[in-house]
PDB file of all heavy atoms in Angstrom:
ATOM      1  N   GLY A 103     118.363 136.457  55.134  1.00  0.00           N
ATOM      2  CA  GLY A 103     119.286 135.530  55.761  1.00  0.00           C
ATOM      3  C   GLY A 103     118.666 134.225  56.160  1.00  0.00           C
ATOM      4  O   GLY A 103     119.261 133.167  56.150  1.00  0.00           O
ATOM      5  N   GLU A 104     117.366 134.326  56.641  1.00  0.00           N
ATOM      6  CA  GLU A 104     116.681 133.135  56.985  1.00  0.00           C
ATOM      7  C   GLU A 104     116.501 132.210  55.766  1.00  0.00           C
ATOM      8  O   GLU A 104     116.469 130.958  55.967  1.00  0.00           O
ATOM      9  CB  GLU A 104     115.320 133.469  57.581  1.00  0.00           C
ATOM     10  CG  GLU A 104     115.429 134.088  58.978  1.00  0.00           C
ATOM     11  CD  GLU A 104     114.006 134.449  59.483  1.00  0.00           C
ATOM     12  OE1 GLU A 104     113.043 134.153  58.784  1.00  0.00           O
ATOM     13  OE2 GLU A 104     113.930 134.998  60.601  1.00  0.00           O
ATOM     14  N   ARG A 105     116.444 132.753  54.610  1.00  0.00           N
ATOM     15  CA  ARG A 105     116.282 131.865  53.441  1.00  0.00           C
ATOM     16  C   ARG A 105     117.602 131.359  52.963  1.00  0.00           C
ATOM     17  O   ARG A 105     117.632 130.212  52.485  1.00  0.00           O
ATOM     18  CB  ARG A 105     115.565 132.691  52.268  1.00  0.00           C
ATOM     19  CG  ARG A 105     114.149 133.037  52.555  1.00  0.00           C
ATOM     20  CD  ARG A 105     113.504 133.538  51.256  1.00  0.00           C
ATOM     21  NE  ARG A 105     114.106 134.809  50.894  1.00  0.00           N
ATOM     22  CZ  ARG A 105     113.603 135.996  51.209  1.00  0.00           C
ATOM     23  NH1 ARG A 105     112.578 136.126  52.044  1.00  0.00           N
ATOM     24  NH2 ARG A 105     114.244 137.078  50.712  1.00  0.00           N
ATOM     25  N   LEU A 106     118.684 132.106  53.139  1.00  0.00           N
ATOM     26  CA  LEU A 106     119.959 131.691  52.595  1.00  0.00           C
ATOM     27  C   LEU A 106     120.564 130.600  53.555  1.00  0.00           C
ATOM     28  O   LEU A 106     121.205 129.713  53.115  1.00  0.00           O
ATOM     29  CB  LEU A 106     120.922 132.906  52.485  1.00  0.00           C
ATOM     30  CG  LEU A 106     120.571 133.865  51.372  1.00  0.00           C
ATOM     31  CD1 LEU A 106     121.583 135.017  51.392  1.00  0.00           C
ATOM     32  CD2 LEU A 106     120.684 133.187  50.012  1.00  0.00           C
ATOM     33  N   ALA A 107     120.420 130.837  54.849  1.00  0.00           N
ATOM     34  CA  ALA A 107     121.086 129.988  55.858  1.00  0.00           C
ATOM     35  C   ALA A 107     120.607 128.512  55.667  1.00  0.00           C
ATOM     36  O   ALA A 107     121.522 127.647  55.624  1.00  0.00           O
ATOM     37  CB  ALA A 107     120.782 130.448  57.210  1.00  0.00           C
ATOM     38  N   PRO A 108     119.321 128.159  55.589  1.00  0.00           N
ATOM     39  CA  PRO A 108     118.994 126.769  55.409  1.00  0.00           C
ATOM     40  C   PRO A 108     119.471 126.161  54.108  1.00  0.00           C
ATOM     41  O   PRO A 108     119.855 125.028  54.060  1.00  0.00           O
ATOM     42  CB  PRO A 108     117.485 126.706  55.427  1.00  0.00           C
ATOM     43  CG  PRO A 108     117.116 128.021  56.189  1.00  0.00           C
ATOM     44  CD  PRO A 108     118.111 129.046  55.804  1.00  0.00           C
ATOM     45  N   PHE A 109     119.568 126.961  53.076  1.00  0.00           N
ATOM     46  CA  PHE A 109     120.051 126.461  51.722  1.00  0.00           C
ATOM     47  C   PHE A 109     121.495 126.067  51.876  1.00  0.00           C
ATOM     48  O   PHE A 109     121.828 124.899  51.479  1.00  0.00           O
ATOM     49  CB  PHE A 109     119.837 127.572  50.675  1.00  0.00           C
ATOM     50  CG  PHE A 109     120.512 127.251  49.424  1.00  0.00           C
ATOM     51  CD1 PHE A 109     119.908 126.332  48.507  1.00  0.00           C
ATOM     52  CD2 PHE A 109     121.654 127.825  49.015  1.00  0.00           C
ATOM     53  CE1 PHE A 109     120.535 125.982  47.319  1.00  0.00           C
ATOM     54  CE2 PHE A 109     122.328 127.503  47.802  1.00  0.00           C
ATOM     55  CZ  PHE A 109     121.712 126.599  46.927  1.00  0.00           C
ATOM     56  N   PHE A 110     122.374 126.955  52.351  1.00  0.00           N
ATOM     57  CA  PHE A 110     123.744 126.660  52.419  1.00  0.00           C
ATOM     58  C   PHE A 110     124.046 125.553  53.460  1.00  0.00           C
ATOM     59  O   PHE A 110     124.991 124.731  53.208  1.00  0.00           O
ATOM     60  CB  PHE A 110     124.522 127.905  52.766  1.00  0.00           C
ATOM     61  CG  PHE A 110     124.752 128.819  51.637  1.00  0.00           C
ATOM     62  CD1 PHE A 110     124.031 130.030  51.531  1.00  0.00           C
ATOM     63  CD2 PHE A 110     125.519 128.544  50.511  1.00  0.00           C
ATOM     64  CE1 PHE A 110     124.152 130.905  50.492  1.00  0.00           C
ATOM     65  CE2 PHE A 110     125.661 129.388  49.451  1.00  0.00           C
ATOM     66  CZ  PHE A 110     124.955 130.578  49.424  1.00  0.00           C
ATOM     67  N   ASN A 111     123.311 125.455  54.575  1.00  0.00           N
ATOM     68  CA  ASN A 111     123.458 124.456  55.533  1.00  0.00           C
ATOM     69  C   ASN A 111     123.052 123.116  54.905  1.00  0.00           C
ATOM     70  O   ASN A 111     123.707 122.060  55.118  1.00  0.00           O
ATOM     71  CB  ASN A 111     122.569 124.762  56.742  1.00  0.00           C
ATOM     72  CG  ASN A 111     123.236 125.784  57.668  1.00  0.00           C
ATOM     73  OD1 ASN A 111     124.477 125.732  57.753  1.00  0.00           O
ATOM     74  ND2 ASN A 111     122.530 126.542  58.294  1.00  0.00           N
ATOM     75  N   GLY A 112     122.015 123.120  54.113  1.00  0.00           N
ATOM     76  CA  GLY A 112     121.585 121.895  53.411  1.00  0.00           C
ATOM     77  C   GLY A 112     122.577 121.459  52.489  1.00  0.00           C
ATOM     78  O   GLY A 112     122.916 120.208  52.347  1.00  0.00           O
ATOM     79  N   MET A 113     123.159 122.366  51.638  1.00  0.00           N
ATOM     80  CA  MET A 113     124.213 121.987  50.699  1.00  0.00           C
ATOM     81  C   MET A 113     125.417 121.418  51.419  1.00  0.00           C
ATOM     82  O   MET A 113     126.026 120.451  50.959  1.00  0.00           O
ATOM     83  CB  MET A 113     124.563 123.233  49.900  1.00  0.00           C
ATOM     84  CG  MET A 113     123.523 123.719  48.962  1.00  0.00           C
ATOM     85  SD  MET A 113     123.086 122.476  47.642  1.00  0.00           S
ATOM     86  CE  MET A 113     124.602 122.444  46.772  1.00  0.00           C
ATOM     87  N   PHE A 114     125.800 122.063  52.504  1.00  0.00           N
ATOM     88  CA  PHE A 114     126.917 121.540  53.300  1.00  0.00           C
ATOM     89  C   PHE A 114     126.678 120.075  53.806  1.00  0.00           C
ATOM     90  O   PHE A 114     127.532 119.225  53.795  1.00  0.00           O
ATOM     91  CB  PHE A 114     127.278 122.507  54.420  1.00  0.00           C
ATOM     92  CG  PHE A 114     128.341 122.018  55.347  1.00  0.00           C
ATOM     93  CD1 PHE A 114     129.654 122.078  55.039  1.00  0.00           C
ATOM     94  CD2 PHE A 114     128.077 121.392  56.601  1.00  0.00           C
ATOM     95  CE1 PHE A 114     130.695 121.643  55.822  1.00  0.00           C
ATOM     96  CE2 PHE A 114     129.056 120.910  57.378  1.00  0.00           C
ATOM     97  CZ  PHE A 114     130.344 121.061  57.056  1.00  0.00           C
ATOM     98  N   LEU A 115     125.426 119.937  54.369  1.00  0.00           N
ATOM     99  CA  LEU A 115     125.112 118.590  54.820  1.00  0.00           C
ATOM    100  C   LEU A 115     125.135 117.592  53.755  1.00  0.00           C
ATOM    101  O   LEU A 115     125.692 116.428  53.988  1.00  0.00           O
ATOM    102  CB  LEU A 115     123.694 118.707  55.505  1.00  0.00           C
ATOM    103  CG  LEU A 115     123.007 117.393  55.976  1.00  0.00           C
ATOM    104  CD1 LEU A 115     123.822 116.851  57.166  1.00  0.00           C
ATOM    105  CD2 LEU A 115     121.574 117.543  56.309  1.00  0.00           C
ATOM    106  N   ILE A 116     124.659 117.874  52.601  1.00  0.00           N
ATOM    107  CA  ILE A 116     124.485 116.847  51.562  1.00  0.00           C
ATOM    108  C   ILE A 116     125.885 116.563  50.978  1.00  0.00           C
ATOM    109  O   ILE A 116     126.325 115.378  50.828  1.00  0.00           O
ATOM    110  CB  ILE A 116     123.641 117.331  50.391  1.00  0.00           C
ATOM    111  CG1 ILE A 116     122.156 117.481  50.903  1.00  0.00           C
ATOM    112  CG2 ILE A 116     123.676 116.429  49.198  1.00  0.00           C
ATOM    113  CD1 ILE A 116     121.268 118.057  49.955  1.00  0.00           C
ATOM    114  N   ILE A 117     126.708 117.553  50.762  1.00  0.00           N
ATOM    115  CA  ILE A 117     127.997 117.345  50.132  1.00  0.00           C
ATOM    116  C   ILE A 117     129.119 116.882  51.082  1.00  0.00           C
ATOM    117  O   ILE A 117     129.779 115.837  50.905  1.00  0.00           O
ATOM    118  CB  ILE A 117     128.461 118.643  49.354  1.00  0.00           C
ATOM    119  CG1 ILE A 117     127.488 119.006  48.261  1.00  0.00           C
ATOM    120  CG2 ILE A 117     129.890 118.484  48.850  1.00  0.00           C
ATOM    121  CD1 ILE A 117     127.733 120.337  47.579  1.00  0.00           C
ATOM    122  N   ALA A 118     129.255 117.714  52.180  1.00  0.00           N
ATOM    123  CA  ALA A 118     130.437 117.432  53.027  1.00  0.00           C
ATOM    124  C   ALA A 118     130.232 116.372  54.067  1.00  0.00           C
ATOM    125  O   ALA A 118     131.176 115.835  54.558  1.00  0.00           O
ATOM    126  CB  ALA A 118     130.849 118.776  53.751  1.00  0.00           C
ATOM    127  N   ILE A 119     128.920 116.038  54.413  1.00  0.00           N
ATOM    128  CA  ILE A 119     128.696 115.129  55.473  1.00  0.00           C
ATOM    129  C   ILE A 119     128.096 113.827  54.959  1.00  0.00           C
ATOM    130  O   ILE A 119     128.415 112.724  55.455  1.00  0.00           O
ATOM    131  CB  ILE A 119     127.795 115.726  56.522  1.00  0.00           C
ATOM    132  CG1 ILE A 119     128.407 116.945  57.169  1.00  0.00           C
ATOM    133  CG2 ILE A 119     127.407 114.704  57.590  1.00  0.00           C
ATOM    134  CD1 ILE A 119     127.618 117.666  58.152  1.00  0.00           C
ATOM    135  N   LEU A 120     127.293 113.894  53.896  1.00  0.00           N
ATOM    136  CA  LEU A 120     126.689 112.615  53.403  1.00  0.00           C
ATOM    137  C   LEU A 120     127.306 112.127  52.062  1.00  0.00           C
ATOM    138  O   LEU A 120     127.783 110.966  52.097  1.00  0.00           O
ATOM    139  CB  LEU A 120     125.194 112.899  53.104  1.00  0.00           C
ATOM    140  CG  LEU A 120     124.389 113.291  54.375  1.00  0.00           C
ATOM    141  CD1 LEU A 120     122.930 113.591  53.925  1.00  0.00           C
ATOM    142  CD2 LEU A 120     124.441 112.220  55.422  1.00  0.00           C
ATOM    143  N   LEU A 121     127.415 112.952  51.040  1.00  0.00           N
ATOM    144  CA  LEU A 121     127.840 112.452  49.772  1.00  0.00           C
ATOM    145  C   LEU A 121     129.308 112.036  49.770  1.00  0.00           C
ATOM    146  O   LEU A 121     129.613 110.914  49.442  1.00  0.00           O
ATOM    147  CB  LEU A 121     127.574 113.548  48.731  1.00  0.00           C
ATOM    148  CG  LEU A 121     127.950 113.191  47.271  1.00  0.00           C
ATOM    149  CD1 LEU A 121     127.005 112.028  46.829  1.00  0.00           C
ATOM    150  CD2 LEU A 121     127.714 114.404  46.341  1.00  0.00           C
ATOM    151  N   VAL A 122     130.194 112.966  50.079  1.00  0.00           N
ATOM    152  CA  VAL A 122     131.650 112.613  50.009  1.00  0.00           C
ATOM    153  C   VAL A 122     132.069 111.575  50.961  1.00  0.00           C
ATOM    154  O   VAL A 122     132.620 110.547  50.557  1.00  0.00           O
ATOM    155  CB  VAL A 122     132.477 113.909  50.100  1.00  0.00           C
ATOM    156  CG1 VAL A 122     133.922 113.626  50.153  1.00  0.00           C
ATOM    157  CG2 VAL A 122     132.185 114.932  48.991  1.00  0.00           C
ATOM    158  N   PRO A 123     131.789 111.670  52.270  1.00  0.00           N
ATOM    159  CA  PRO A 123     132.293 110.712  53.214  1.00  0.00           C
ATOM    160  C   PRO A 123     131.777 109.302  52.933  1.00  0.00           C
ATOM    161  O   PRO A 123     132.473 108.321  52.946  1.00  0.00           O
ATOM    162  CB  PRO A 123     131.869 111.253  54.557  1.00  0.00           C
ATOM    163  CG  PRO A 123     131.728 112.661  54.393  1.00  0.00           C
ATOM    164  CD  PRO A 123     131.165 112.857  53.040  1.00  0.00           C
ATOM    165  N   PHE A 124     130.364 109.187  52.735  1.00  0.00           N
ATOM    166  CA  PHE A 124     129.785 107.893  52.545  1.00  0.00           C
ATOM    167  C   PHE A 124     130.248 107.292  51.220  1.00  0.00           C
ATOM    168  O   PHE A 124     130.291 106.094  51.153  1.00  0.00           O
ATOM    169  CB  PHE A 124     128.258 108.030  52.632  1.00  0.00           C
ATOM    170  CG  PHE A 124     127.740 108.056  54.028  1.00  0.00           C
ATOM    171  CD1 PHE A 124     127.565 109.317  54.706  1.00  0.00           C
ATOM    172  CD2 PHE A 124     127.366 106.910  54.704  1.00  0.00           C
ATOM    173  CE1 PHE A 124     127.070 109.302  55.967  1.00  0.00           C
ATOM    174  CE2 PHE A 124     126.918 106.947  55.931  1.00  0.00           C
ATOM    175  CZ  PHE A 124     126.769 108.132  56.675  1.00  0.00           C
ATOM    176  N   THR A 125     130.436 108.151  50.225  1.00  0.00           N
ATOM    177  CA  THR A 125     130.956 107.610  48.908  1.00  0.00           C
ATOM    178  C   THR A 125     132.314 107.068  49.078  1.00  0.00           C
ATOM    179  O   THR A 125     132.630 105.874  48.594  1.00  0.00           O
ATOM    180  CB  THR A 125     130.889 108.688  47.880  1.00  0.00           C
ATOM    181  OG1 THR A 125     129.575 109.183  47.732  1.00  0.00           O
ATOM    182  CG2 THR A 125     131.372 108.145  46.507  1.00  0.00           C
ATOM    183  N   LEU A 126     133.201 107.787  49.755  1.00  0.00           N
ATOM    184  CA  LEU A 126     134.600 107.370  49.853  1.00  0.00           C
ATOM    185  C   LEU A 126     134.701 106.111  50.794  1.00  0.00           C
ATOM    186  O   LEU A 126     135.366 105.069  50.449  1.00  0.00           O
ATOM    187  CB  LEU A 126     135.476 108.464  50.422  1.00  0.00           C
ATOM    188  CG  LEU A 126     135.599 109.683  49.389  1.00  0.00           C
ATOM    189  CD1 LEU A 126     136.430 110.768  50.079  1.00  0.00           C
ATOM    190  CD2 LEU A 126     136.224 109.202  48.106  1.00  0.00           C
ATOM    191  N   PHE A 127     134.092 106.200  51.951  1.00  0.00           N
ATOM    192  CA  PHE A 127     134.257 105.115  52.937  1.00  0.00           C
ATOM    193  C   PHE A 127     133.380 103.924  52.566  1.00  0.00           C
ATOM    194  O   PHE A 127     133.828 102.816  52.768  1.00  0.00           O
ATOM    195  CB  PHE A 127     133.847 105.582  54.327  1.00  0.00           C
ATOM    196  CG  PHE A 127     134.864 106.602  54.930  1.00  0.00           C
ATOM    197  CD1 PHE A 127     134.452 107.839  55.239  1.00  0.00           C
ATOM    198  CD2 PHE A 127     136.163 106.221  55.125  1.00  0.00           C
ATOM    199  CE1 PHE A 127     135.313 108.753  55.802  1.00  0.00           C
ATOM    200  CE2 PHE A 127     137.024 107.096  55.662  1.00  0.00           C
ATOM    201  CZ  PHE A 127     136.663 108.405  56.008  1.00  0.00           C
ATOM    202  N   GLY A 128     132.253 104.198  51.912  1.00  0.00           N
ATOM    203  CA  GLY A 128     131.345 103.068  51.548  1.00  0.00           C
ATOM    204  C   GLY A 128     131.953 102.216  50.404  1.00  0.00           C
ATOM    205  O   GLY A 128     131.784 100.979  50.405  1.00  0.00           O
ATOM    206  N   THR A 129     132.673 102.832  49.476  1.00  0.00           N
ATOM    207  CA  THR A 129     133.344 102.103  48.407  1.00  0.00           C
ATOM    208  C   THR A 129     134.716 101.662  48.737  1.00  0.00           C
ATOM    209  O   THR A 129     135.420 101.076  47.981  1.00  0.00           O
ATOM    210  CB  THR A 129     133.424 103.051  47.146  1.00  0.00           C
ATOM    211  OG1 THR A 129     134.124 104.192  47.468  1.00  0.00           O
ATOM    212  CG2 THR A 129     132.012 103.297  46.676  1.00  0.00           C
ATOM    213  N   LYS A 130     135.227 101.999  49.972  1.00  0.00           N
ATOM    214  CA  LYS A 130     136.552 101.654  50.492  1.00  0.00           C
ATOM    215  C   LYS A 130     137.565 102.187  49.520  1.00  0.00           C
ATOM    216  O   LYS A 130     138.557 101.507  49.129  1.00  0.00           O
ATOM    217  CB  LYS A 130     136.679 100.134  50.644  1.00  0.00           C
ATOM    218  CG  LYS A 130     135.743  99.582  51.700  1.00  0.00           C
ATOM    219  CD  LYS A 130     135.913  98.091  51.937  1.00  0.00           C
ATOM    220  CE  LYS A 130     135.016  97.635  53.014  1.00  0.00           C
ATOM    221  NZ  LYS A 130     135.154  96.159  53.264  1.00  0.00           N
ATOM    222  N   TYR A 131     137.452 103.419  49.074  1.00  0.00           N
ATOM    223  CA  TYR A 131     138.254 103.993  48.111  1.00  0.00           C
ATOM    224  C   TYR A 131     139.679 104.249  48.731  1.00  0.00           C
ATOM    225  O   TYR A 131     139.797 104.758  49.853  1.00  0.00           O
ATOM    226  CB  TYR A 131     137.705 105.367  47.664  1.00  0.00           C
ATOM    227  CG  TYR A 131     138.660 106.083  46.642  1.00  0.00           C
ATOM    228  CD1 TYR A 131     138.640 105.661  45.314  1.00  0.00           C
ATOM    229  CD2 TYR A 131     139.422 107.164  47.018  1.00  0.00           C
ATOM    230  CE1 TYR A 131     139.478 106.354  44.341  1.00  0.00           C
ATOM    231  CE2 TYR A 131     140.202 107.775  46.140  1.00  0.00           C
ATOM    232  CZ  TYR A 131     140.208 107.363  44.826  1.00  0.00           C
ATOM    233  OH  TYR A 131     141.030 108.075  43.929  1.00  0.00           O
ATOM    234  N   VAL A 132     140.720 103.846  48.062  1.00  0.00           N
ATOM    235  CA  VAL A 132     142.085 104.097  48.540  1.00  0.00           C
ATOM    236  C   VAL A 132     142.611 105.312  47.815  1.00  0.00           C
ATOM    237  O   VAL A 132     142.647 105.407  46.578  1.00  0.00           O
ATOM    238  CB  VAL A 132     142.972 102.900  48.170  1.00  0.00           C
ATOM    239  CG1 VAL A 132     144.408 103.210  48.626  1.00  0.00           C
ATOM    240  CG2 VAL A 132     142.411 101.663  48.863  1.00  0.00           C
ATOM    241  N   TYR A 133     143.022 106.314  48.632  1.00  0.00           N
ATOM    242  CA  TYR A 133     143.527 107.619  48.094  1.00  0.00           C
ATOM    243  C   TYR A 133     144.700 107.432  47.232  1.00  0.00           C
ATOM    244  O   TYR A 133     145.696 106.737  47.642  1.00  0.00           O
ATOM    245  CB  TYR A 133     143.798 108.528  49.200  1.00  0.00           C
ATOM    246  CG  TYR A 133     142.641 109.183  49.848  1.00  0.00           C
ATOM    247  CD1 TYR A 133     141.360 108.584  49.816  1.00  0.00           C
ATOM    248  CD2 TYR A 133     142.769 110.402  50.632  1.00  0.00           C
ATOM    249  CE1 TYR A 133     140.277 109.137  50.404  1.00  0.00           C
ATOM    250  CE2 TYR A 133     141.649 110.937  51.206  1.00  0.00           C
ATOM    251  CZ  TYR A 133     140.391 110.380  51.120  1.00  0.00           C
ATOM    252  OH  TYR A 133     139.322 110.927  51.694  1.00  0.00           O
ATOM    253  N   SER A 134     144.684 107.994  46.051  1.00  0.00           N
ATOM    254  CA  SER A 134     145.911 108.063  45.222  1.00  0.00           C
ATOM    255  C   SER A 134     146.636 109.399  45.667  1.00  0.00           C
ATOM    256  O   SER A 134     146.045 110.244  46.327  1.00  0.00           O
ATOM    257  CB  SER A 134     145.597 108.104  43.786  1.00  0.00           C
ATOM    258  OG  SER A 134     144.803 109.214  43.350  1.00  0.00           O
ATOM    259  N   LYS A 135     147.843 109.538  45.196  1.00  0.00           N
ATOM    260  CA  LYS A 135     148.581 110.764  45.577  1.00  0.00           C
ATOM    261  C   LYS A 135     147.958 112.014  45.007  1.00  0.00           C
ATOM    262  O   LYS A 135     147.821 113.013  45.689  1.00  0.00           O
ATOM    263  CB  LYS A 135     150.047 110.611  45.077  1.00  0.00           C
ATOM    264  CG  LYS A 135     150.931 111.825  45.504  1.00  0.00           C
ATOM    265  CD  LYS A 135     152.326 111.643  45.036  1.00  0.00           C
ATOM    266  CE  LYS A 135     153.219 112.748  45.453  1.00  0.00           C
ATOM    267  NZ  LYS A 135     154.634 112.588  45.038  1.00  0.00           N
ATOM    268  N   SER A 136     147.463 111.897  43.736  1.00  0.00           N
ATOM    269  CA  SER A 136     146.862 113.099  43.141  1.00  0.00           C
ATOM    270  C   SER A 136     145.601 113.455  43.813  1.00  0.00           C
ATOM    271  O   SER A 136     145.230 114.592  44.023  1.00  0.00           O
ATOM    272  CB  SER A 136     146.697 112.824  41.648  1.00  0.00           C
ATOM    273  OG  SER A 136     145.849 111.683  41.408  1.00  0.00           O
ATOM    274  N   PHE A 137     144.731 112.406  44.100  1.00  0.00           N
ATOM    275  CA  PHE A 137     143.450 112.628  44.747  1.00  0.00           C
ATOM    276  C   PHE A 137     143.691 113.232  46.198  1.00  0.00           C
ATOM    277  O   PHE A 137     143.011 114.178  46.533  1.00  0.00           O
ATOM    278  CB  PHE A 137     142.704 111.301  44.876  1.00  0.00           C
ATOM    279  CG  PHE A 137     141.323 111.510  45.480  1.00  0.00           C
ATOM    280  CD1 PHE A 137     140.183 111.754  44.667  1.00  0.00           C
ATOM    281  CD2 PHE A 137     141.132 111.450  46.849  1.00  0.00           C
ATOM    282  CE1 PHE A 137     138.965 111.955  45.228  1.00  0.00           C
ATOM    283  CE2 PHE A 137     139.884 111.585  47.360  1.00  0.00           C
ATOM    284  CZ  PHE A 137     138.716 111.812  46.588  1.00  0.00           C
ATOM    285  N   PHE A 138     144.709 112.709  46.937  1.00  0.00           N
ATOM    286  CA  PHE A 138     144.893 113.241  48.260  1.00  0.00           C
ATOM    287  C   PHE A 138     145.422 114.642  48.159  1.00  0.00           C
ATOM    288  O   PHE A 138     145.063 115.507  49.045  1.00  0.00           O
ATOM    289  CB  PHE A 138     145.960 112.372  48.977  1.00  0.00           C
ATOM    290  CG  PHE A 138     146.280 112.796  50.341  1.00  0.00           C
ATOM    291  CD1 PHE A 138     145.373 112.499  51.370  1.00  0.00           C
ATOM    292  CD2 PHE A 138     147.471 113.472  50.679  1.00  0.00           C
ATOM    293  CE1 PHE A 138     145.663 112.934  52.686  1.00  0.00           C
ATOM    294  CE2 PHE A 138     147.703 113.905  51.916  1.00  0.00           C
ATOM    295  CZ  PHE A 138     146.779 113.679  52.926  1.00  0.00           C
TER     296      PHE A 138
END
Side-chain angles (χ1 to χ4, degrees):
E104 288 180 0
R105 291 191 297 268
L106 290 177
F109 171 75
F110 284 107
N111 282 325
M113 293 296 295
F114 176 79
L115 175 66
I116 293 172
I117 297 175
I119 298 178
L120 298 178
L121 183 62
V122 175
F124 278 90
T125 301
L126 295 177
F127 291 119
T129 58
K130 296 182 180 180
Y131 179 78
V132 178
Y133 284 21
S134 63
K135 184 177 180 180
S136 58
F137 183 89
F138 183 76

